[in-house]
Amino acid sequence: MNESSQPVLVDVRSLTVRYPGGHDALRDVSLRVRRGEILGIVGESGSGKTTLIRTLINLPGAGAMMESDGLSFSGQDMTTLSAEAWRQLRGGRIAMIFQNPGASLSPMVTVERQFTEAIRNHRKITRREARDIALTEIQKLRLDDPEAVLASRPWQLSGGMKQRVAISMSLAMKPDLILADEPTSALDVTTQEVVMKELNERRRHDGTSVIVVSHNICACASVADNLLVMKEGRVVDYGRVREILSRPDHTYSGQLLRAVPHLRAMKHE
């Protein structure tokens, strides 16, 4: 896929998000994501990463005031959408994978019921068709015995299994855009790789755009086309992965890279 020839899906121009008391969680943030592109957003805790992607689904937090020169999705002005339009957009064309997504599952309702109802909220299909989709999605994230997983209640599953179930539910709609906030933070290294590879597969096969937020620049760089580096609510670096990995050690991007020996080696390949 020639990324540069693809239409822009997300366009953010000079976005500022201010909380009561005058604290700017985001200041003059701009970015573009084309169809089929993976953007990694990295930075230390408190840099504004999570606020940024939550703002993209109109969930910036209580009392937040937003200013921008433009905020659009698929050419549509996102600042004019009604509450109902946002409800249809979230979980349908835009999938959000929150930190600790497994916590969003109701512990006493079977995985099958939660999964199929989530699908049928956005698609006019039968319960059996929704169940087939659920099985397929669970298999993609390599959960053993998908039938048993569907029959389980979340409290019967391990933390990592719940994480993968919740991620599968987010991906089941074949969204145009996936927003992933630290999607692998509670997973072991092997499962992290499975999840990141699956996000990359969605891009390759479905043309899905992905924005991955992480404090781990290594995880982002493994799949991203571009990296956006944030510090104290501002964008301090933005470009192709190879360009960011080549930054000198005295820059902020270089400082982040110094903590990851594997990426330091990549800088000199």
Side-chain angles (χ1 to χ4, degrees):
M1 178 184 295
N2 183 354
E3 175 205 322
S4 63
S5 67
Q6 298 299 311
V8 173
L9 184 67
V10 179
D11 190 3
V12 177
R13 287 173 284 164
S14 299
L15 173 65
T16 294
V17 174
R18 182 169 296 120
Y19 287 104
H23 171 64
D24 288 350
L26 299 176
R27 287 175 282 177
D28 196 30
V29 172
S30 297
L31 61 90
R32 277 186 169 186
V33 178
R34 296 183 180 274
R35 290 191 180 275
E37 175 188 338
I38 297 181
L39 171 67
I41 300 179
V42 299
E44 299 170 315
S45 296
S47 61
K49 306 183 303 294
T50 294
T51 298
L52 175 54
I53 61 168
R54 289 183 69 94
T55 299
L56 294 180
I57 55 170
N58 199 36
L59 294 173
M65 297 179 62
M66 186 185 72
E67 302 172 0
S68 76
D69 290 342
L71 185 61
S72 66
F73 172 75
S74 194
Q76 184 175 18
D77 184 352
M78 300 171 78
T79 64
T80 65
L81 296 179
S82 66
E84 176 59 23
W86 272 115
R87 192 187 72 80
Q88 291 298 321
L89 202 59
R90 294 191 206 104
R93 295 187 66 192
I94 301 177
M96 179 72 189
I97 303 173
F98 294 99
Q99 292 186 39
N100 189 19
S104 65
L105 298 173
S106 175
M108 301 309 295
V109 179
T110 65
V111 169
E112 178 176 339
R113 179 176 171 184
Q114 293 182 69
F115 211 139
T116 57
E117 287 182 357
I119 294 171
R120 297 181 76 207
N121 281 338
H122 295 277
R123 291 191 194 178
K124 294 182 178 180
I125 59 177
T126 66
R127 189 173 300 278
R128 179 55 184 265
E129 290 170 330
R131 187 179 190 279
D132 290 343
I133 292 172
L135 279 173
T136 298
E137 294 298 332
I138 286 174
Q139 289 169 338
K140 288 178 180 178
L141 290 187
R142 300 184 188 177
L143 280 159
D144 294 334
D145 198 350
E147 292 278 0
V149 171
L150 283 185
S152 301
R153 288 173 170 78
W155 66 267
Q156 297 173 302
L157 304 177
S158 69
M161 292 174 74
K162 286 189 289 187
Q163 293 282 72
R164 282 183 282 171
V165 165
I167 291 170
S168 296
M169 290 173 66
S170 296
L171 302 183
M173 301 302 117
K174 294 190 179 297
D176 296 318
L177 174 65
I178 298 168
L179 303 175
D181 187 4
E182 301 280 6
T184 61
S185 59
L187 302 175
D188 61 70
V189 173
T190 300
T191 307
Q192 288 179 26
E193 292 179 357
V194 170
V195 171
M196 297 304 281
K197 285 180 179 179
E198 182 59 28
L199 293 178
N200 199 22
E201 285 295 302
R202 301 296 171 125
R203 177 265 293 277
R204 291 200 315 116
H205 291 291
D206 301 329
T208 305
S209 302
V210 184
I211 300 178
V212 182
V213 164
S214 181
H215 68 280
N216 186 341
I217 195 170
C218 183
C220 283
S222 68
V223 296
D225 303 294
N226 296 306
L227 286 176
L228 184 148
V229 183
M230 298 190 67
K231 182 181 182 182
E232 297 176 352
R234 293 185 180 274
V235 176
V236 296
D237 208 349
Y238 187 22
R240 304 291 292 179
V241 168
R242 180 61 62 179
E243 295 170 358
I244 303 299
L245 298 187
S246 300
R247 299 295 191 236
D249 286 350
H250 70 267
T251 65
Y252 182 67
S253 297
Q255 292 170 20
L256 291 179
L257 293 170
R258 282 207 302 270
V260 187
H262 171 65
L263 288 184
R264 279 180 59 80
M266 287 176 62
K267 289 174 66 175
H268 303 292
E269 287 181 355

